Amino acid sequence: MNEYRTHNCNELNLKNVGETVKIAGWIQTVRDLGGLVFVDLRDQYGITQAVISGEDKLVDEISRIPVESTVSITGKVRKRDEETINKNIATGEVEIVIENYEILGKRTKNLPFEINEDKEVREDLRLQYRFLDLRNDKVKNNILLRAKVIQYLRSQMIERGFTEVQTPILTSSSPEGARDYLVPSRVHPGKFYALPQAPQQFKQLLMVSGIDRYFQIAPCFRDEDARADRAPGEFYQLDMEMAFSTQEDVFEVIEGVIYNTFKEFSNKEISETPFTRIPFEEAMLKYGSDKPDLRNPLIIQDVTEIFQNVEFNAFKGKIVRIIVLPDAQDVPRKFYDGMVDFATSECGAKGLAWLKVNEGNELQGPIAKFIDEESKEKLLKQIGAKVGDSLFFISDKKGVVENIAGQIRTELANRLDLLEKDTFKFCWIVDFPMFELDDEGKVAFSHNPFSMPQGGLKALEEKDPLEILAYQYDLVCNGIELSSGAVRNHNPEIMVKAFDIAGYTKETIESKFPALFNAFHYGAPPHAGIAPGVDRMIMLLTDEPNIREVIAFPMNSKAQDLLMGAPGNVTEKQLREVHIKLDIKKEKQN
């Protein structure tokens, strides 16, 4: 018999009545009802009620044990009275009559906040005392669900013939889009390791080495600012790569894994496979985003051509997009004013024009006088508007108008509660442009520099770079980018040409990606992969608005670990060992 317990706190039931048992856990509550004292004991698995008579010699001692102390209780199981049965817990039909107890770990400090109370607690306090916060059922259950999901993902990948391989944490710095976390070398003065932003190069090297199907639950490290759906510093992904495969092969595997996982751990409706595929250009037009929330029924349409000759300066020489809000006759005027304020103060728009469609297709609103009869007829016919609808116009240059329209679409749905409930809407965003213009007007990679261009070397040599598409794809769910992947460029000649277009020399490739570029000269198979974010997956499954709620020990929004005190100072001796000297005066000035 275990020294501290014979049963967990969720295991006892009517079959155990009459047995002498021992349970251990945290005291959640102590209730003194005069003649009886009740103790609720909690462990990871559940709650059991224990009771002692007010006349028992132990009652005073037990009544004084601070809540959240750990104890072991021994006693006999008895059936509860019918009127005291608690159907909300697994052990609600029975209780333990306390015969003996032992304090295992006494709480000797005041609690910084109450456990399992529905009270708002400052996040910094919760993170500072995360070991207490994790005792809260809601937080704890998120972490337990995370463990189950990871185990399930692993089993799904193994069933599909994937081999789990761990890749290095200490590696070389690589320009992959975010800032690296650097680790100084003690043995090699002045040189640094970097924590991997992703196992990108390693998993491609595994393909060259002959591992046919690779996966791991991979830690990734990026020095990025926090967002609601992005943890600063560290995150995890289901990293996978397949040799001798195409985009279609990746889709088939990952759709099955994702669909099964969400089906297993959620009761919500889930998009049937194959998931909807939306080309990047279409996504930016219709949704104003490359991570569209398909629960939102509103669609953005382009009406630029109709307004080319309209005498309205806000539309002249600009791209004009429109969102039709159906059946909006009961929407008050202050709603429109609020949307205009949102567009100008939150989206950076110069304004937000709107119109109502009244009886007889009469247009009512601030810009109605600028729209002639012919333009009105063309407009209503193209967008399919009807009486009672409202129209919102967004105009600006390309690259800006899409972003503003997307934010307006999202805000309209949120303010009017238009999002479809209890569903996961998945889609693939495909056909990303290989290149784009950077802020200085130069051609740059738009997505992943290791991606294969559609059309291969011929496309790179003959097409306008801005018209070249890549075999790149994102998996999106409910407006959250769940994963990004690509068919990899495994041909050194194509790689050199692609990087040349983006302004990099062959020498740059050889210096920045020496292992990968060298390996591709030794017979590399075509390969493709993807990496769904585990944290975001759990965030969706738990319906949590902030990703920190599904991570056991997260950093705060300023990339600080308030529990462990990181980042922190180190000693001069430690700095000397890694050949680093701090210029404190300069640091303070900066």
Side-chain angles (χ1 to χ4, degrees):
M1 182 175 71
N2 183 286
E3 181 179 349
Y4 302 112
R5 59 188 178 187
T6 60
H7 296 78
N8 296 326
C9 287
N10 68 328
E11 290 184 321
L12 300 175
N13 54 47
L14 293 175
K15 294 178 181 178
N16 302 105
V17 171
E19 294 179 13
T20 297
V21 300
K22 182 184 282 191
I23 60 173
W26 286 260
I27 293 180
Q28 180 155 303
T29 59
V30 178
R31 305 186 304 280
D32 189 344
L33 301 184
L36 295 171
V37 172
F38 294 92
V39 175
D40 286 341
L41 204 64
R42 180 193 74 240
D43 63 9
Q44 174 183 317
Y45 310 101
I47 295 175
T48 298
Q49 177 174 284
V51 60
I52 188 170
S53 168
E55 300 175 357
D56 194 293
K57 61 182 180 180
L58 298 177
V59 70
D60 288 341
E61 297 175 23
I62 290 176
S63 298
R64 289 195 295 268
I65 301 174
V67 295
E68 294 304 319
S69 298
T70 54
V71 300
S72 178
I73 288 176
T74 302
K76 188 169 288 187
V77 180
R78 76 180 183 190
K79 183 181 178 181
R80 291 201 203 185
D81 296 334
E82 288 295 327
E83 63 271 17
T84 65
I85 289 176
N86 183 354
K87 295 181 179 180
N88 295 321
I89 59 175
T91 60
E93 292 184 292
V94 297
E95 60 191 8
I96 295 175
V97 180
I98 300 174
E99 297 175 357
N100 202 356
Y101 78 97
E102 179 184 1
I103 297 177
L104 305 175
K106 187 175 182 179
R107 177 177 65 81
T108 58
K109 291 186 175 183
N110 292 330
L111 291 169
F113 49 82
E114 296 299 322
I115 310 296
N116 282 310
E117 291 282 337
D118 291 330
K119 296 179 181 178
E120 287 292 326
V121 181
R122 295 196 328 266
E123 186 183 57
D124 62 341
L125 195 61
R126 290 177 56 208
L127 296 182
Q128 183 181 353
Y129 292 91
R130 189 62 165 181
F131 54 89
L132 293 179
D133 197 36
L134 285 168
R135 295 184 190 178
N136 181 286
D137 285 341
K138 186 172 184 292
V139 183
K140 176 191 68 180
N141 289 336
N142 284 349
I143 303 307
L144 295 178
L145 175 66
R146 180 190 181 103
K148 293 176 182 177
V149 170
I150 289 175
Q151 182 179 7
Y152 188 80
L153 290 171
R154 182 172 276 114
S155 68
Q156 288 277 297
M157 298 304 289
I158 293 171
E159 285 177 12
R160 287 166 171 77
F162 284 78
T163 301
E164 186 169 11
V165 182
Q166 282 73 46
T167 53
I169 296 301
L170 290 177
T171 183
S172 61
S173 180
S174 175
E176 294 183 34
R179 286 178 293 272
D180 286 324
Y181 281 100
L182 300 177
V183 181
S185 170
R186 176 184 60 83
V187 180
H188 304 283
K191 295 189 176 183
F192 292 80
Y193 302 100
L195 304 184
Q197 294 186 28
Q200 181 67 52
Q201 294 189 65
F202 288 112
K203 67 180 182 179
Q204 291 191 249
L205 289 168
L206 286 172
M207 298 297 99
V208 181
S209 72
I211 298 294
D212 193 63
R213 290 186 165 203
Y214 141 90
F215 89 99
Q216 70 170 314
I217 307 299
C220 304
F221 305 90
R222 298 179 186 177
D223 188 2
E224 296 180 304
D225 294 332
R227 296 191 315 225
D229 65 345
R230 183 171 68 194
E234 180 180 355
F235 62 94
Y236 285 78
Q237 59 190 30
L238 172 61
D239 201 50
M240 61 90 82
E241 197 80 10
M242 303 166 61
F244 305 105
S245 64
T246 65
Q247 177 174 289
E248 296 302 318
D249 298 317
V250 173
F251 285 7
E252 182 180 359
V253 167
I254 213 66
E255 283 183 353
V257 171
I258 294 295
Y259 180 86
N260 290 347
T261 302
F262 276 73
K263 198 75 172 175
E264 178 73 15
F265 295 101
S266 174
N267 294 321
K268 292 184 179 182
E269 182 181 338
I270 305 168
S271 302
E272 292 294 331
T273 57
F275 297 151
T276 299
R277 301 182 189 186
I278 306 172
F280 172 80
E281 285 295 332
E282 180 183 336
M284 296 306 295
L285 169 60
K286 292 173 66 174
Y287 310 108
S289 171
D290 59 0
K291 43 182 182 289
D293 190 341
L294 299 187
R295 297 173 301 168
N296 184 347
L298 301 179
I299 299 296
I300 304 165
Q301 300 182 62
D302 185 81
V303 291
T304 304
E305 188 175 336
I306 293 174
F307 291 99
Q308 288 300 301
N309 300 316
V310 171
E311 291 300 319
F312 182 45
N313 288 335
F315 290 175
K316 267 189 176 181
K318 296 177 182 175
I319 295 172
V320 184
R321 301 280 161 86
I322 190 170
I323 300 173
V324 178
L325 184 63
D327 303 319
Q329 54 267 34
D330 296 328
V331 175
R333 172 60 190 259
K334 66 178 181 179
F335 176 85
Y336 297 91
D337 294 337
M339 286 302 303
V340 172
D341 181 65
F342 171 79
T344 54
S345 62
E346 300 293 329
C347 305
K350 298 178 179 65
L352 179 66
W354 58 269
L355 292 171
K356 292 182 177 181
V357 183
N358 294 333
E359 291 291 338
N361 285 339
E362 177 190 352
L363 298 182
Q364 175 194 349
I367 67 167
K369 61 185 177 182
F370 296 106
I371 303 177
D372 57 47
E373 192 66 25
E374 181 182 356
S375 298
K376 181 186 76 172
E377 291 180 6
K378 287 181 180 179
L379 175 67
L380 296 180
K381 182 178 180 180
Q382 177 180 324
I383 64 177
K386 62 183 186 306
V387 173
D389 292 349
S390 289
L391 317 178
F392 291 86
F393 297 85
I394 304 96
S395 64
D396 214 305
K397 63 183 180 180
K398 185 172 179 58
V400 175
V401 69
E402 294 89 349
N403 180 46
I404 296 174
Q407 292 183 68
I408 298 298
R409 172 181 178 266
T410 298
E411 189 68 13
L412 285 170
N414 288 338
R415 293 194 180 195
L416 296 172
D417 194 26
L418 300 179
L419 294 182
E420 191 176 343
K421 303 293 191 298
D422 298 321
T423 184
F424 291 117
K425 294 279 190 179
F426 288 94
C427 66
W428 289 105
I429 305 300
V430 298
D431 298 339
F432 280 86
M434 185 82 179
F435 302 100
E436 64 183 3
L437 295 179
D438 63 16
D439 294 338
E440 298 177 356
K442 297 178 181 178
V443 175
F445 289 112
S446 66
H447 206 267
N448 185 328
F450 299 107
S451 301
M452 180 68 79
Q454 296 183 20
L457 185 60
K458 184 178 180 181
L460 296 177
E461 291 176 336
E462 298 179 0
K463 296 185 71 172
D464 180 338
L466 300 181
E467 295 179 0
I468 299 172
L469 302 180
Y471 287 111
Q472 296 169 343
Y473 37 84
D474 284 356
L475 181 60
V476 176
C477 179
N478 293 3
I480 291 177
E481 180 191 314
L482 198 57
S483 57
S484 184
V487 175
R488 314 302 179 187
N489 185 349
H490 68 285
N491 185 312
E493 187 180 5
I494 297 176
M495 182 178 289
V496 168
K497 182 60 180 176
F499 274 78
D500 177 61
I501 291 173
Y504 299 94
T505 64
K506 181 180 178 181
E507 289 69 31
T508 302
I509 305 173
E510 291 174 331
S511 64
K512 294 294 185 182
F513 314 106
L516 196 61
F517 187 64
N518 185 44
F520 285 169
H521 289 80
Y522 290 87
H527 55 281
I530 196 168
V534 172
D535 310 285
R536 290 182 181 179
M537 220 180 292
I538 311 300
M539 184 181 171
L540 286 164
L541 287 168
T542 56
D543 201 24
E544 289 285 2
N546 194 302
I547 203 165
R548 291 189 287 277
E549 297 299 327
V550 301
I551 299 171
F553 298 103
M555 291 186 179
N556 66 7
S557 60
K558 296 180 180 179
Q560 295 171 303
D561 181 345
L562 299 180
L563 174 62
M564 302 301 290
N569 297 320
V570 296
T571 66
E572 286 291 336
K573 180 175 182 287
Q574 288 174 295
L575 290 173
R576 285 196 301 271
E577 287 175 342
V578 291
H579 318 287
I580 287 180
K581 184 177 181 180
L582 295 180
D583 188 346
I584 301 297
K585 186 181 294 185
K586 185 177 180 180
E587 291 290 325
K588 287 182 178 179
Q589 288 175 351
N590 290 340

